[in-house]
Amino acid sequence: MQDNATEVTAAGIARLAGVGRAAVSNWRRRHADFPRPVGGTETSPSFALAEVESWLRKQGKLAEVPLRERVWQQLSGHPEGPVTALTHAGCLLLLIHDRPTVWLEVSAGSDERLSEMLPGALREVFTPRFGPEAATSAPSAVSAPSAVKTPNAVNAADAVNAADVVNPAPPASAVHTASAVNTHPAVHLPTVPELLPSAPLLRGVAELAAELGARQTFEFLLGRHLDANPRQYTLTPADLAALMADLAGPARTVLDPACGTGALLRAAAGRPDQELYAQDSAPELAALTTLRLALQTWSTVRGAVGDSLRADAHPRLRADAVLCHPPFNERNWGHDELAYDPRWEYGFPARTESELAWVQHALARLKDGGAGVLLMPPAAASRRSGRRIRADLLRRGALRAVIALPLGAAPPYNIPLHLWVLRRPEKAPAQPEVLLVDVGRFAGEGRDGPDWRAVREAVLDAWQAFGRPGRFAERPGLARALPVIELLDDDVDLAPARHLPPPTAADGAEQLTAVREHLGETLRLTADLTPPRADAAHPARWPLTTIGELARGGALMLRTGGNGGHARVPVLTDNDVLFGADPSGTLPESEEEAVLTEPGDVVVPVLGGGSMARVIDAATGGAALGRNLVLLRPDPAALDPWFLAGFLRGTANNRQASSYASTATRLDVRRLQLPRLPLDEQRRYGERFRALDEFERALRHAGRLGEQLVRGMYDGLTDGTVAPD
């Protein structure tokens, strides 16, 4: 059943028809019967999905709207917004997941009947899965949580939302006075008036669930929503979430007080008798994460809305584990109103130390001996304003390990973040030690991120060895167990790199030997790839054509990059092209479709005055085209890509096609010239150009290895790990 109120943007129409955004603009100009806008803005109009679908079929441009796309367009165009639609869809999918036969009965008949019967059916699912508080209708706006939503509070930090295990109630003085016991559950029973506009969408969602499964359907719709709004959410990578869950160990009750989209709790879930506790200050995130966890696990899920520092929804919880990716650098975390809060057992955090407030909140929600793992900014380990709290955490044995992660482990990707491993002390240790680990050496190159397998093995191996009786065997350059007394100076600086011994002389020498051998192999390869002697020849007098003429004749397609898009894919930048690097950039979110590269494309930078063109290979294919780049996609029956790229790099060719301003040189790619040659002759030139490209890449690699060897020798000689003779 089609919802006539559902609207779709031009980008959505392009996805429906499998064309680019420009094609939709052409249809609007050329066809007088194209549907008129029904909403949106002048620059980004929206159209009725039913009218668009009908027009596309009439024009023969669409045989049938794919079910996934139709459901997504209904959801994104819902009159109450996509979050409300996604929440209603999640409620329905949970019903289908837990009680599929009930849905068959509810869905029979009209939309009005469905809306009237669905709340009662959902109540039977909500009570056992979320608790009795969730099986009531949502409160009015007046009674909504009073917590102030700060910019960082909408943090989709995929942290593990741990357990609210209620041990015998603590004394009244131990309960945060600003808290209520889960008075604001994340998911509420939708009412009949709320569900009626969603009825057509829900039928489509149920149809999609029959094809994909209830869990997969919700993941697909939630993933599309996250992709469409990347700036609103900070996602914790799955590999990092798994590592944090492993460090915490098996747990029956798990809490995540800043749950975001729930990655940490999903990583910790694995037992049917678990209780997962989640809280987030953003109501939409709390609701979606609670539904996501209920669909992904059979655990009891207790989700709540509210700022955990100001309005703790689980004040009596004593969990086995707490996993958290808190908001960083938050000044408005409640410093003024929480001065006498009983959670500050280790000291009152300064206004600039919000992360230490989250650390103490996590410890307050753990049972004795319970484990907590928090993702932290590196500054939290060394800022002077937090040194007294860090000192007390160390003295009392609450901080067990600080682990420095590689660059690119989690957003913000340009900072090497830390993991803090906590343990609520049952008694003060006689001679406390703290484990310091630095796995920064496992940072990856380009778009691949860290070597997570190596990171995981190194971290867990050190952590498990640290927990065994006996003295921890020091691992130079990687891990060290340090007596707390050695850290209790004026700074209490816990940055692992400051305290780890350098790699042993043997290790340093072995690494340098390996680099030297690799450099020798590369230099031998470079010698083999050195072009043969250049024989003199008479200047050729070829008939010439231009890129513009070839594009008009259909021999190649020309596209310009940098328009943004929704897809989360690596972006090829002009610097990547110039230096032969992997895609490393980003594009802004927009309604435009990103230009994706394919193997055999030729990419040309248009700024800087350099002569450069790069043929896209299988490893780079699929990356989005960045700013200041032009993509040429040759017809293989007419043009050889290596022939094309080679002639575009000619210095004289670039000079005649460039315009020169006072501050920059810009290349007009359409004016670049190419000789008219038969395809066989093009391939002869193409093979020579390909060989030159291999030689150029070998030279670059040799240069990088040479720099690494020189830097390593200087470091080894100056720190004493390499002998001078």
Side-chain angles (χ1 to χ4, degrees), residues 6 52 64 115 132 147 238 308 554 557 563 697:
T6 300
V52 168
E64 182 179 355
S115 303
S308 290
M557 182 178 68
N563 293 325
R697 284 190 282 114

Side-chain angles (χ1 to χ4, degrees), residues 46 80 113 190 193 220 225 232 292 295 323 385 396 398 437 453 462 468 477 488 495 534 557 635 668:
S46 58
E80 297 301 321
R113 180 179 181 274
F220 162 71
H225 175 66
Q232 293 185 25
R292 186 184 201 184
L295 282 163
L323 302 177
S385 54
R396 297 169 61 179
V437 181
R453 181 175 179 179
R468 290 193 286 265
L488 298 179
M557 182 178 68
D635 179 352
D668 183 350

Side-chain angles (χ1 to χ4, degrees), residues 15-209:
R15 283 194 291 268
L16 284 172
V19 299
R21 175 74 180 273
V24 178
S25 299
N26 288 335
W27 293 343
R28 292 184 63 196
R29 288 194 300 267
R30 292 168 49 197
H31 297 277
D33 62 340
F34 191 87
R36 300 297 179 190
V38 296
T41 65
E42 184 176 348
T43 57
S44 182
S46 58
F47 308 83
L49 177 60
E51 295 179 7
V52 168
E53 185 178 335
S54 175
W55 186 88
L56 289 172
R57 284 205 180 96
K58 185 171 66 174
Q59 294 290 326
K61 303 181 186 300
L62 183 69
E64 182 179 355
V65 178
L67 179 59
R68 291 188 184 203
E69 197 60 46
R70 175 160 58 87
V71 171
W72 168 248
Q73 295 300 342
Q74 286 180 300
L75 187 147
S76 61
H78 193 280
E80 297 301 321
V83 172
T84 297
L86 190 53
T87 303
H88 289 174
C91 293
L92 170 68
L93 290 168
L94 185 60
L95 175 64
I96 294 173
H97 180 264
D98 286 10
R99 303 190 179 188
T101 56
V102 174
W103 164 249
L104 295 178
E105 179 183 350
V106 169
S107 62
S110 66
D111 289 352
E112 289 75 10
R113 180 179 181 274
L114 183 155
S115 303
E116 291 172 358
M117 295 189 65
L118 191 53
L122 289 174
R123 183 177 290 108
E124 300 302 315
V125 176
F126 277 24
T127 300
R129 298 302 297 272
F130 304 136
E133 300 91 350
T136 59
S137 298
S140 65
V142 176
S143 61
S146 60
V148 177
K149 190 199 286 190
T150 62
N152 281 333
V154 185
N155 178 8
D158 296 350
V160 182
N161 295 314
D164 211 341
V165 176
V166 180
N167 283 356
S173 60
V175 179
H176 179 206
T177 56
S179 301
V181 182
N182 206 10
T183 54
H184 300 296
V187 178
H188 285 282
L189 194 69
T191 63
V192 173
E194 290 170 341
L195 286 171
L196 186 57
S198 298
L201 166 67
L202 297 181
R203 294 186 188 277
V205 168
E207 188 180 351
L208 186 58

Side-chain angles (χ1 to χ4, degrees), residues 500-567:
L500 292 179
T504 62
D507 289 344
E510 287 176 3
Q511 291 175 4
L512 289 176
T513 299
V515 172
R516 186 177 184 279
E517 291 176 355
H518 194 182
L519 175 60
E521 293 171 1
T522 305
L523 290 174
R524 286 190 290 273
L525 174 63
T526 304
D528 293 339
L529 293 173
T530 301
R533 189 183 67 182
D535 295 328
H538 294 291
R541 301 293 184 183
W542 298 301
L544 299 176
T545 185
T546 65
I547 294 298
E549 291 173 350
L550 291 170
R552 287 191 294 271
L556 57 78
M557 182 178 68
L558 188 148
R559 301 288 299 276
T560 302
N563 293 325
H566 291 312

Side-chain angles (χ1 to χ4, degrees), residues 202-239:
L202 297 181
R203 294 186 188 277
V205 168
E207 188 180 351
L208 186 58
E211 178 182 307
L212 302 179
R215 293 176 177 176
Q216 292 80 358
T217 298
F218 189 74
E219 287 300 310
F220 162 71
L221 295 173
L222 178 61
R224 272 287 188 94
H225 175 66
L226 296 177
D227 284 343
N229 302 276
R231 296 184 183 181
Q232 293 185 25
Y233 307 105
T234 302
L235 304 178
T236 303
D239 289 308

